[in-house]
């Protein structure tokens, strides 16, 4: 869909021009860590961030400090498998320079999934990288979903397709958004 591609490009350019990203990342991390959703979750899924995404390495580090279990996705065919990691040494560079786990797939239920994306609206709909991996995963996921985003990644409306699924929450440097209609 051309509208999605145009939104991806526009937001990508905004992020490239941001000079205060490390500061904004810290604000987003703090807002996430202060939530009951974070505090009450034991098994947390998080993607290793790409260069123009909110840095997830401090999230992984904080989870280890708090004794939480971190699992990281790995692309397998058209889907994702999640793997528990015990340190960043359990990750290796894969396709598109994404860090993926080298550990075996896990079977435990995930409490909290941090869902990546490029563009978001307040209803929780997102535009990712275009592969649909997270939409397929979210079809059967019953835990809590949170997206981390810079305020500049929020738009009034994300064009959707029937298979698109919203996240329940979005955390930005300015606010925590409870999305609808998906959130209970």
């Amino acid at each position: 869909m051309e509208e999605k591609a145009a939104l991806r490009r526009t937001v990508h350019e905004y992020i490239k021009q941001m000079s205060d990203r490390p500061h904004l990342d810290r604000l987003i991390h703090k807002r996430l860590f202060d939530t009951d959703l974070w505090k009450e979750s034991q098994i947390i899924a998080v993607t290793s961030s790409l260069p123009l995404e909110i840095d997830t390495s401090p999230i992984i580090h904080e989870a280890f400090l708090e004794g939480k279990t971190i699992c990281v996705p790995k692309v397998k065919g058209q889907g994702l498998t999640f793997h528990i990691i015990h340190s960043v040494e359990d990750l290796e560079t894969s396709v598109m320079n994404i860090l993926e786990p080298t550990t075996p797939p896990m079977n435990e239920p995930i409490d909290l999934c941090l869902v990546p994306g490029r563009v978001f609206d307040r209803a929780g709909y997102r535009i990712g990288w275009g592969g649909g991996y997270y939409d397929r995963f979210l079809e059967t996921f019953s835990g809590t979903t949170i997206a981390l985003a810079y305020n500049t990644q929020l738009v009034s409306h994300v064009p959707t397709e029937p298979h698109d699924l919203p996240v329940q929450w979005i955390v930005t440097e300015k606010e925590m958004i409870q999305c609808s209609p998906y959130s209970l």
Side-chain angles (χ1 to χ4, degrees):
M1 182 182 265
E2 184 55 38
E3 187 178 2
K4 283 185 177 184
L7 283 169
R8 257 190 217 104
R9 283 190 302 273
T10 299
V11 169
H12 182 85
E13 287 304 314
Y14 286 151
I15 294 170
K16 278 174 55 177
Q17 295 172 21
M18 293 169 56
S19 61
D20 56 348
R21 285 185 51 225
H23 172 69
L24 298 178
D25 284 6
R26 285 190 297 277
L27 292 174
I28 292 166
H29 298 150
K30 181 174 180 351
R31 190 174 302 279
L32 172 67
F33 299 149
D34 287 345
T35 68
D36 288 340
L37 297 169
W38 171 268
K39 291 173 186 174
E40 294 169 5
S41 294
Q42 185 55 41
I43 300 178
I44 300 169
V46 60
T47 302
S48 296
S49 53
L50 293 170
L52 290 178
E53 294 178 332
I54 293 160
D55 186 3
T56 58
S57 56
I59 295 169
I60 294 169
H61 179 72
E62 181 65 23
F64 287 151
L65 286 176
E66 293 182 21
K68 295 181 183 293
T69 301
I70 283 289
C71 57
V72 177
K74 184 173 194 163
V75 173
K76 183 169 182 174
Q78 291 297 307
L80 297 174
T81 56
F82 285 83
H83 305 248
I84 293 173
I85 63 166
H86 303 283
S87 74
V88 292
E89 284 80 39
D90 289 339
L91 301 171
E92 68 181 6
T93 303
S94 185
V95 178
M96 291 178 41
N97 289 324
I98 296 173
L99 291 175
E100 289 190 326
T102 58
T103 56
M106 62 178 263
N107 294 320
E108 294 87 349
I110 298 167
D111 300 318
L112 174 64
C113 182
L114 301 180
V115 181
R118 304 299 296 156
V119 182
F120 303 89
D121 66 21
R122 289 180 172 275
Y125 287 100
R126 55 183 269 288
I127 299 173
W129 288 95
Y133 295 104
Y134 269 90
D135 288 317
R136 285 187 285 281
F137 167 72
L138 292 175
E139 286 177 351
T140 60
F141 181 66
S142 60
T144 302
T145 55
I146 297 178
L148 307 177
Y150 301 115
N151 215 53
T152 59
Q153 290 176 268
L154 294 175
V155 298
S156 61
H157 174 72
V158 167
T160 60
E161 299 175 51
H163 65 271
D164 291 331
L165 295 171
V167 294
Q168 296 164 311
W169 299 88
I170 300 172
V171 176
T172 75
E173 71 274 15
K174 295 183 178 182
E175 63 186 315
M176 179 148 178
I177 303 163
Q178 184 172 9
C179 305
S180 60
Y182 186 62
S183 300
L184 300 176

